[in-house]
Structures are given as C-alpha cells and as structure tokens.
Amino acid sequence: MAASRVSQARLKRLFSDRNLRTARLVSGMVLMTFVTMHLLNHALLLISLPAAETMRPWFLMIWRNPLGTVALYGSVATHFALALLSLYRKRGLVMPMREIFQIVLGFAIPLLIAEHVIGTRVFHALTGVEDSYRYVLRTLWVASPVGGVRQSVATVVIWVHGCLGLYFWLRFRHWYPQVAPWLLIVAVLVPVLALLGFVEGGRTVASIGATPPPIDAPVIAHDRQIKEMLIRSVYLGFGGLLAGVFALRALRAYRERRNLIEVRYSDGHVVRVAKGYSVLEASRIGGIPHYAVCGGKGRCSTCRIKVSEGLDALPSPNSLERTTLKRLGADPDVRLACQLRPTGNVSVTPLLVPDRDRLLLPGQPVIPGREREVAVLFCDIRNFTGLADHRLPFDIVFLLNRYFAMVGKAVEQAGGRMDKFIGDGAMALFGVDTTNFEACRQALVAASAIIRDLDQLNEELAGEINAPLRVAVGIHAGPAIVGAMGYRDVMSVTAVGDTVNVASRLELAAKEFNATVVVSETVVQLSGFDLSGFDIRDIDIRGRAQPLNVRVVPQGAALPIAAQKKAADAA
Ligand code: FES
C-alpha cells in the first residue's frame, strides 16, 4: 500500500505540469530544428538540383543515424501525445482564437504529411528506395501536382505552428523585442526560399529528359499496396486517437455532471462547473472577462484572483503557481485562476479585468508589464510659475511647446523615448529596447543635448522672455516595470517603480542645489562616461535606507559627453 503510494507520487512528479511543459518545449525545439534544416536544404534547389542533392547526405547523416532517428521520432511521438493530453485536460473548449488556431494547425500536420513521410522515409526503410530530390520532386511535381500543393500547404502549416509556439514561449523575455525583427526575417525567409526552391526543383526535374522513368519505378505493385495501407492506417489511427480523446472527455463530463461546484464572482455571476475545472476555465465558460496574458501557463500572474470564500478547502498551489505567487509577493488569499482547480464552492474576485471596464480599444494590443533595466530622465523648467505670470495663455503655450520640442528632439536623437509631459516637466525613458549600458549613455547624451540646445533656444527667445529659461534634470537607472498603461486611446508604454521615483527626486535635488543636472553615480558608472570633474555628493532619498551617490552639474556648465561619445564611437 505504502509502496504504491510512493510510486503514485513519483508518477505524479514525473508527469507534473512543469515536466510536461519542458517535454513539449524540448520536443518542439528538436522538430523545429529538423524542419529548419529540411527547408534550408530545399532552398538550395534555387541554386541547382545537384546543390540540394549534395547537401542531402549531410542532412540524412544527422537525422537518419540511430540517435537522430530516436530524437526525431521520439519528439514527434512526445509532441503529439502531449497535444492529445492537453486536449483531454482542457475542461472547456472556449479559448482565445490564437490558441484555437495553434491547436488546429497542430492537428492538421499529421494529415498533411503522412503520405510524404511514408513515401520517403518509411518506404526507404522498407524497400531501400532512394528518396532523393529527383525522386521526390518527380512524385510531387510531375506525377501528382495535388501532392505538391498539399506538401506546400504542409510546409506553411508546420512552419507557422512552430513559429507561433516559439513566439508564445519567448514573447515575455526581456530581450525579445530586440531580437524580434531578426526572428521575423528568418520566419519569413526560410519557408519562402524553401517553397521557391521546391518550384524551381520541380521545374528542373520536369524538364530533364522527355521520358522520365516511371514514378514508382523501384516500387513493385505489392509495395504500392503496402504504401496505401500504411497511409490509411495513419489516417485511421489519427482519427481513432482523436475520437478516443473526445470520447474520454464526454465520459468525464458525464461523470462530472453529478459533481458540480459553484464559482461565484464578486459581481454576482455564478458559474457551475465540474470539479477539476480551473477558475480561468470557469470564467471562460461563463463569459466573464478574465485577463490571461500567458494563455493559462502560470507564468504571467495576470489571471490572479482573490478568494473570499472557500479558501481553506482549496488544493494547495502547485510548484509553478507557488513560484509565480512568490515572485509577486501575493497574499495567502491570492491564487492563479489558471492553476487553481477548486474542489468545492468558491467566491473569487479577478484582480485584473481590463475588458470589463473597456480599458482597451477594440484591436488594441495587450502589452503586459515586464521588469526591465531602464534609465529615466526628468527635466523641468525652473521657476516656471514666475515666468508664466502676466503672460497671455497663447504665449505660455507657445513657450512650452518650443521647450517640449527641444527636449523631445534631444531625447529621440539620443535613442530614448518621450514618456510624458506634465505641466512644464518632461519624463523620458531609455533602455526599453536596448541594454542598460546603452540606456545610461543615451540618457547622458540627451541631457547634454538639452543643455546645449537650451542656450540656442534662449538666444532665439531673448526678445520674448525677461530671463533665460533654466532647466533642472534628474537621471537615474535601475529596474522598473515597463508596460502599456492608461485608458483607451490615452494608453502608452511607460514605466513605474522606485527607479522612476528616484529620478524625479534627483530632478528636485537639481533645483535645490541650483544645478542643471543631478545624475546618480549608478548611471555614470554604467555609462562609462567620465564625469569626475563634477562634485560628488550623497543625498538622502525618502524610502531608501542608504544615501544615494550623485554627480552634480552646476548651472552654466556643459556636460562633456559629446566629445567622449565621439571618441568612443571612433575607437
Ligand atoms: S494566465 Fe498567466 S498565470 Fe494564469
């Protein structure tokens, strides 16, 4: 009895969500590597048929040796089995379109490629037929154009399915925005070149000799029957497995009908689902808007809910949920709706519900918050109130717009992005799409440009204002939460967090010190620029245990950044 409990626990651990996800990822990566190499080999047909034939043995050497064979077909079996398992485990089939699309593409693949795989690899193993490019192209291009079209569709379906899988996996990595354009180029080029290669190869093979050898010359009629029988078996087996999964789902649903629980929402909605459904699935079944940016994979935490009733009877969080909640520093009554499968009635409140309040415009993309290292620059006009006194509103707007244009240009030319203008102040972000090193350099380059351009602006406005404009700039760098925030069309990518607060505080410090710029030593060190000529001070920042080391650039002094940058760029 005890032994069986131990082996059950082991099995449970072995088939934990985390392990299954890893298995899906690894098998998917193996398959994607195979497909990429296969398509690149096809692309060589654009050069010539012999070029593709020359590369083919190398490709086969990797994938037709015993190790490669096990890796490839093991991955096919694992990926397919996991897809069936996931289809079985999904309680409701109400899900976002992108998930449905991915699932449909995935299940279409075996149907599309069965004939090709049996006609090449399997038949090579059974009969020794040499499935060279010449042989396959004759089959798909000359003898059976329908097969050629199906194979082209299969190429696109497999590639899109693989790329979507990669996208879902990588999209929340902080470096993803930087590599995304390159990945997109690869994602478009590989299949396009492969399909063009297929067309070119097909035309070449069709033009070789007026009387090409019969299509299945090496294959006797008996073999052809075997081929057809194998293809039929694959279709039947595939259909049987799918039907089996749906039959098991129906059986489970029938059994569970006697075992319903209620998920009660704080807005009064009640959804009755069987035990075993996750709260997220209950929300989808009940049509209740529920944020789930990672698609229910337990990674983003956006589906989190507060449990107000039934907390004690809930199953404890699995390791994935525990990790995410711990990162969040969540209270004990907060759970992830996608991971929590209540065994009794519960009352819950989704903590993030964008759609209900129409925070997003239709079609507006969701940009989830992510922690990033950024540099933040605040710039404010000093003594603006005095400047605005006794001026016409038109004049003030004109003045402010000239100043904002000057700051915006300096920031954008340095590589940063304007975050917002508030009153006479401006906030800029650096590092949303680049490294910390670059972010700090860009922020200092922007500050130096602001100081330089302010002199020019003052010259231009000399006849308009009584005293020259003066600014106070604060710069700090560190982690911040970056994401799309706002309401409907007033929504933009911005940053929040301690780093932003400190940068704002440094801008105030610049005013207190009667300085132009106060920049944290962190930024100076990270940027690699030499600001040793300026005073270094320790200042207290509210909420920080330690004083902050800052460099103070006094009024009238220029930031010696441009020359240093020029020298570094030239080196
Ligand atoms: S949907 Fe992302 S953690 Fe639940």
Side-chain angles (χ1 to χ4, degrees):
M1 191 73 176
S4 108
R5 260 205 305 275
V6 170
S7 57
Q8 262 183 19
R10 272 200 196 131
L11 263 182
K12 213 170 160 189
R13 256 203 314 277
L14 186 65
F15 289 99
S16 68
D17 283 353
R18 192 183 290 269
N19 286 354
L20 292 181
R21 242 195 340 273
T22 308
R24 191 197 330 247
L25 181 65
V26 172
S27 57
M29 291 301 289
V30 171
L31 295 176
M32 205 51 187
T33 309
F34 170 84
V35 171
T36 308
M37 291 174 72
H38 198 36
L39 295 189
L40 288 177
N41 203 157
H42 294 356
L44 288 180
L45 287 165
L46 279 173
I47 300 174
S48 68
L49 186 57
E53 296 283 23
T54 308
M55 188 49 75
R56 191 174 152 271
W58 294 97
F59 174 75
L60 298 184
M61 196 176 75
I62 297 171
W63 296 105
R64 283 197 186 170
N65 74 54
L67 209 65
T69 302
V70 170
L72 177 60
Y73 290 96
S75 297
V76 170
T78 307
H79 217 66
F80 184 59
L82 289 174
L84 289 176
L85 180 66
S86 143
L87 188 60
Y88 171 73
R89 287 171 121 193
K90 277 185 193 303
R91 296 302 178 124
L93 291 179
V94 185
M95 54 190 123
M97 273 314 288
R98 60 165 194 266
E99 263 182 68
I100 297 175
F101 186 59
Q102 179 71 335
I103 291 172
V104 170
L105 288 185
F107 280 115
I109 293 171
L111 297 176
L112 287 167
I113 61 166
E115 195 168 335
H116 178 64
V117 175
I118 290 168
T120 53
R121 176 76 195 253
V122 175
F123 236 61
H124 167 76
L126 289 179
T127 67
V129 67
E130 187 52 40
D131 52 334
S132 62
Y133 270 102
R134 206 173 280 249
Y135 167 79
V136 176
L137 286 168
R138 270 197 195 111
T139 314
L140 293 178
W141 187 268
V142 183
S144 162
V146 174
V149 171
R150 186 177 47 220
Q151 200 51 31
S152 304
V153 173
T155 303
V156 174
V157 168
I158 293 170
W159 190 251
V160 171
H161 178 76
C163 288
L164 277 178
L166 276 178
Y167 167 73
F168 290 142
W169 175 46
L170 297 178
R171 64 190 162 146
F172 297 132
R173 315 279 149 157
H174 69 89
W175 43 263
Y176 179 73
Q178 281 147 261
V179 299
W182 299 104
L183 291 179
L184 181 64
I185 291 172
V186 175
V188 173
L189 269 187
V190 171
V192 168
L193 291 179
L195 289 174
L196 289 176
F198 173 61
V199 172
E200 189 53 36
R203 286 166 52 175
T204 307
V205 167
S207 68
I208 297 173
T211 52
I215 305 313
D216 281 337
V219 183
I220 57 172
H222 172 253
D223 290 340
R224 210 176 293 132
Q225 273 175 6
I226 294 179
K227 184 175 172 181
E228 277 158 18
M229 189 199 72
L230 283 174
I231 293 169
R232 259 199 315 276
S233 310
V234 168
Y235 288 159
L236 279 175
F238 177 75
L241 283 171
L242 260 190
V245 168
F246 279 101
L248 285 174
R249 285 178 61 91
L251 188 67
R252 181 183 60 193
Y254 175 74
R255 282 211 191 124
E256 288 175 345
R257 238 184 295 165
R258 282 169 285 160
N259 238 341
L260 294 182
I261 58 157
E262 286 186 353
V263 181
R264 304 185 195 112
Y265 293 81
S266 50
D267 61 1
H269 275 92
V270 178
V271 180
R272 286 165 67 79
V273 288
K275 272 186 198 170
Y277 277 59
S278 72
V279 174
L280 183 62
E281 285 166 336
S283 299
R284 284 175 176 169
I285 289 169
I288 290 158
H290 207 137
Y291 217 12
V293 169
C294 74
K297 306 217 165 39
R299 282 197 242 127
C300 68
S301 87
T302 54
C303 65
R304 58 187 182 266
I305 47 171
K306 197 174 180 60
V307 181
S308 49
E309 271 177 54
L311 184 66
D312 296 341
L314 292 179
S316 28
N318 59 31
S319 65
L320 183 67
E321 185 181 2
R322 247 195 330 270
T323 312
T324 306
L325 290 174
K326 196 165 157 205
R327 270 199 68 207
L328 208 65
D331 290 337
D333 58 351
V334 171
R335 299 290 301 265
L336 297 185
C338 65
Q339 303 298 311
L340 171 61
R341 298 182 184 275
T343 46
N345 295 344
V346 274
S347 299
V348 302
T349 308
L351 294 176
L352 306 175
V353 196
D355 282 345
R356 183 162 54 191
D357 297 330
R358 305 296 299 150
L359 280 173
L360 295 175
L361 289 173
Q364 200 167 21
V366 175
I367 303 171
R370 60 168 77 100
E371 196 173 78
R372 275 202 63 82
E373 294 286 329
V374 289
V376 184
L377 176 151
F378 274 87
C379 177
D380 205 37
I381 300 184
R382 299 196 55 190
N383 196 22
F384 179 73
T385 320
L387 205 72
D389 274 352
H390 314 301
R391 297 191 80 90
L392 293 174
F394 175 83
D395 248 11
I396 294 171
V397 170
F398 167 77
L399 207 67
L400 278 178
N401 279 337
R402 289 297 307 273
Y403 155 72
F404 286 148
M406 185 266 294
V407 174
K409 209 163 126 200
V411 166
E412 283 176 7
Q413 282 181 349
R417 64 164 77 186
M418 279 316 304
D419 183 278
K420 55 176 79 71
F421 295 106
I422 317 153
D424 59 337
M427 171 180 156
L429 280 181
F430 301 84
V432 174
D433 309 313
T434 185
T435 61
N436 209 8
F437 164 73
E438 266 308 314
C440 293
R441 289 178 80 81
Q442 289 174 349
L444 283 168
V445 168
S448 126
I450 289 171
I451 298 174
R452 181 198 63 209
D453 296 347
L454 187 67
D455 287 343
Q456 200 181 332
L457 184 65
N458 277 327
E459 269 176 38
E460 287 172 27
L461 298 174
E464 306 290 328
I465 48 180
N466 304 332
L469 291 176
R470 290 192 296 150
V471 293
V473 175
I475 309 173
H476 184 50
I481 306 297
V482 179
M485 299 174 217
Y487 174 70
R488 292 177 68 86
D489 46 359
V490 192
M491 185 161 255
S492 62
V493 175
T494 185
V496 289
D498 190 50
T499 301
V500 180
N501 300 339
V502 171
S504 166
R505 175 68 189 89
L506 295 189
E507 181 246 319
L508 289 176
K511 284 181 184 162
E512 285 162 23
F513 298 155
N514 196 22
T516 310
V517 180
V518 170
V519 51
S520 67
E521 190 60 6
T522 314
V523 173
V524 178
Q525 294 296 330
L526 282 169
S527 71
F529 287 135
D530 178 12
L531 297 190
S532 55
F534 297 106
D535 266 5
I536 189 159
R537 294 195 196 184
D538 282 344
I539 62 170
D540 290 321
I541 304 276
R542 200 172 46 196
R544 286 177 71 102
Q546 302 292 327
L548 187 70
N549 238 217
V550 297
R551 292 271 169 190
V552 179
V553 181
Q555 285 290 334
L559 263 175
I561 297 295
Q564 290 184 43
K565 184 173 182 304
K566 206 166 165 188
D569 290 348

